[in-house]
Amino acid sequence: MILYQPIDGYCYNSDTHFLYNFFIKSQEKYKNIKGDILDIGSGSGVLGLLIARDYTKLNLHQCEIQTVFQFLSQKNSEINGIKNIIYKDDILNCQFDKKFDFIVSNPPFYNSDVIKSENQNKKIARYNDNMPLDNFISKVAKILNTNGKFIFCYDAKQLNNILLALNKAKLTIEMMQFLHPKPTKEASLVMIYARSNSKSKLQVIEPLIMFDKFGDFTQEVNDIYTKCSTHSIKCQITH
């Protein structure tokens, strides 16, 4: 999959690849995956495009606030032959004429009290000032279909706030996976699969370890990159 990205702005990272892999794990027990999927904060489009590539019965919708990424999501969609519909607005303000069977997102989750990038493009993509966790999850709950599925990742240190927000929105976590940079390091990322109107019990699956003790990618991470098969091209956007 060819993916154009801005040469001087925010670029997708490994979190997106891991979230794509987690989406696959979370849906393994379902045989006929179809319907409408919304990728919130689509950036250059990679997460939604990877999922739509592998699940051809899903109709891809993408929501993106930044003009440069609206352009890139559309461009990357066309290049890879995947149809999409782009909503050009902040998800908290965006109005939809439908509800969604799936919602996926790698949202901005850094707290505003950490040192911020001077690049405005990166600030919007990384920090949660413009999309607080409670507001984000509340909006998702309103636009999910009955039994709709919500797959996203967030800062593992904020898990308590995530649980509170999901519970308030009446979304039940069915599966969770933690990402650890190394076997001896604490988790840096949590990936969550939640569903509306669910009575299922939580399944915490085996953690994903990024690097082994020698500093090399683990075999599982290498397998994820191979499965994704993405090729990034940096470009100057004048659009």
Side-chain angles (χ1 to χ4, degrees):
M1 179 173 283
I2 302 297
L3 294 159
Y4 283 97
Q5 298 189 84
I7 199 167
D8 56 356
Y10 176 80
C11 296
Y12 70 83
N13 56 28
S14 56
D15 293 358
T16 302
H17 292 83
F18 300 152
L19 186 56
Y20 153 77
N21 185 67
F22 178 73
F23 179 95
I24 293 173
K25 284 180 177 290
S26 72
Q27 302 306 305
E28 281 178 341
K29 67 180 181 181
Y30 300 102
K31 297 192 186 299
N32 189 25
I33 295 174
K34 61 183 179 179
D36 293 299
I37 182 169
L38 174 66
D39 179 6
I40 295 176
S42 61
S44 54
V46 56
L47 178 60
L49 290 172
L50 282 170
I51 293 171
R53 178 195 69 183
D54 292 358
Y55 298 91
T56 56
K57 292 182 180 179
L58 287 177
N59 305 310
L60 177 60
H61 303 255
Q62 296 169 310
C63 182
E64 175 55 51
I65 189 173
Q66 298 195 67
T67 304
V68 62
F69 289 124
Q70 294 165 1
F71 171 75
L72 285 170
S73 281
Q74 191 62 52
K75 185 72 174 174
N76 288 329
S77 170
E78 293 169 359
I79 288 170
N80 292 286
I82 297 171
K83 291 182 179 179
N84 70 337
I85 296 172
I86 295 184
Y87 301 88
K88 300 178 178 181
D89 202 350
D90 177 350
I91 183 62
L92 301 180
N93 297 324
C94 200
Q95 300 297 313
F96 300 96
D97 60 0
K98 65 169 66 204
K99 291 192 173 184
F100 299 94
D101 304 292
F102 296 86
I103 294 178
V104 295
S105 184
N106 179 4
F109 53 68
Y110 289 112
N111 279 326
S112 56
D113 56 357
V114 300
I115 298 172
K116 296 188 179 181
S117 165
E118 292 303 314
N119 184 302
Q120 186 63 23
N121 173 277
K122 293 180 180 179
K123 280 183 183 178
I124 294 172
R126 289 178 177 169
Y127 300 97
N128 63 10
D129 300 55
N130 297 318
M131 195 164 73
L133 179 63
D134 279 357
N135 297 356
F136 168 54
I137 290 178
S138 175
K139 179 71 175 193
V140 166
K142 291 173 183 174
I143 58 175
L144 266 180
N145 267 332
T146 303
N147 300 317
K149 301 169 182 179
F150 178 32
I151 296 97
F152 70 107
C153 61
Y154 219 78
D155 176 14
K157 292 182 178 64
Q158 300 184 55
L159 180 58
N160 189 53
N161 294 332
I162 296 168
L163 296 174
L164 290 170
L166 288 170
N167 185 59
K168 185 178 178 181
K170 295 183 170 52
L171 294 171
T172 303
I173 303 178
E174 293 196 355
M175 184 181 288
M176 182 187 300
Q177 183 180 37
F178 291 96
L179 168 71
H180 297 254
K182 292 183 179 180
T184 56
K185 297 288 187 181
E186 64 183 33
S188 59
L189 190 78
V190 61
M191 291 172 281
I192 289 174
Y193 162 43
R195 194 157 63 89
S196 60
N197 298 305
S198 170
K199 295 182 179 178
S200 296
K201 296 200 173 172
L202 169 62
Q203 179 186 11
V204 181
I205 63 175
E206 185 177 354
L208 176 61
I209 311 298
M210 191 163 184
F211 297 102
D212 61 24
K213 62 182 179 180
F214 303 108
D216 298 319
F217 285 136
T218 59
Q219 186 57 53
E220 186 175 7
V221 167
N222 278 321
D223 290 345
I224 291 171
Y225 286 143
T226 299
K227 192 191 306 181
C228 289
S229 187
T230 54
H231 177 66
S232 177
I233 298 175
K234 298 287 187 71
C235 59
Q236 186 70 49
I237 306 297
T238 56
H239 180 78

